[in-house]
Amino acid sequence: FSADDLYFSYYKDIAVWGYGATACNDFYSFYIDFVLSVSIMCCILLLDAISVLTLRKALDLSKSSDTLKRQRKVEIGFFVQSLCQMVPYILAYVSFDILSRFANTDWMLFGTTT
């Protein structure tokens, strides 16, 4: 790949980035733009699922100690914070990459890509 092979441009009428028809652009658009974002989201979702299972198991085991109950509340708060950060990221990715393709008006396109 060379720097001359990698180029992309913004098409304002349809509000998307377009890549040139080169091997470098195909690699970039698929692996860097798409696969990287999906991989990050899948890793975070996997970690969240593991956290849910671990918290559920820990809540079943720690029914007696007040210190453990307070610690579990803090851990649940961190988990909820993680979800509050991940859900908007997933919604933004889905809106920008999927829903924007179905926008009929300029305002719908603006709303789905913003």
Side-chain angles (χ1 to χ4, degrees):
F1 298 133
S2 71
D4 296 333
D5 291 338
L6 180 62
Y7 59 92
F8 49 94
S9 57
Y10 184 73
Y11 300 105
K12 67 178 180 177
D13 53 334
I14 56 174
V16 296
W17 289 96
Y19 300 94
T22 65
C24 185
N25 283 328
D26 291 342
F27 177 85
Y28 179 83
S29 68
F30 183 73
Y31 290 105
I32 305 300
D33 195 23
F34 177 72
V35 172
L36 184 63
S37 297
V38 171
S39 298
I40 290 170
M41 283 192 297
C42 288
C43 288
I44 293 172
L45 288 173
L46 178 66
L47 290 173
D48 284 346
I50 291 170
S51 296
V52 165
L53 296 175
T54 304
L55 281 173
R56 287 190 69 192
K57 188 186 300 184
L59 286 174
D60 291 340
L61 296 175
S62 66
K63 298 205 185 279
S64 61
S65 172
D66 288 337
T67 305
L68 286 175
K69 285 182 183 179
R70 277 187 264 132
Q71 183 179 358
R72 295 297 172 245
K73 281 187 177 184
V74 170
E75 290 172 356
I76 290 171
F78 285 137
F79 177 72
V80 169
Q81 180 182 3
S82 171
L83 283 180
C84 289
Q85 292 173 345
M86 184 57 189
V87 168
Y89 181 70
I90 291 174
L91 292 176
Y93 186 77
V94 167
S95 177
F96 186 81
D97 283 339
I98 297 170
L99 296 179
S100 65
R101 298 171 195 244
F102 302 106
N104 297 337
T105 66
D106 288 342
W107 283 108
M108 285 177 65
L109 187 61
F110 174 77
T112 56
T113 57
T114 297

